Amino acid sequence: MFLTSTVAYLTVAWNDGLSVTVKGLNNGTTLYLKTVVVDTTQPTLVNFNYFDVDELKFTAFGGVEPDYLISKGVLGHCLH
């Protein structure tokens, strides 16, 4: 199955400003690579404009703990 003009809403649960890299591949060869920054407060609409890909790989990195979770002590319990 080949994907064309991939569009997605991305959001995260724990880190604001999280970078998400999405690779578009065809038969294991990277054709596209795009990094977007997403937050916990609302989804981000991303139009990748990937054509003729048969696989997507998502990698997330970075970001910071949002103040509203730190003040409730939510993250401290999850990270230990």
Side-chain angles (χ1 to χ4, degrees), residues 1 5 7 16 22-24 27-28 31 36-37 61 63 68 74-75:
M1 179 170 113
S5 191
V7 176
D16 280 337
V22 183
K23 284 185 183 182
N27 289 324
L31 301 179
V36 295
V37 177
F61 57 94
Y68 70 90
V74 173
L75 288 177

Side-chain angles (χ1 to χ4, degrees), residues 15-38:
N15 285 6
D16 280 337
L18 187 77
S19 295
V20 178
T21 298
V22 183
K23 284 185 183 182
L25 300 97
N26 185 322
N27 289 324
T29 300
T30 300
L31 301 179
Y32 302 97
L33 184 69
K34 183 171 192 166
T35 300
V36 295
V37 177
V38 295

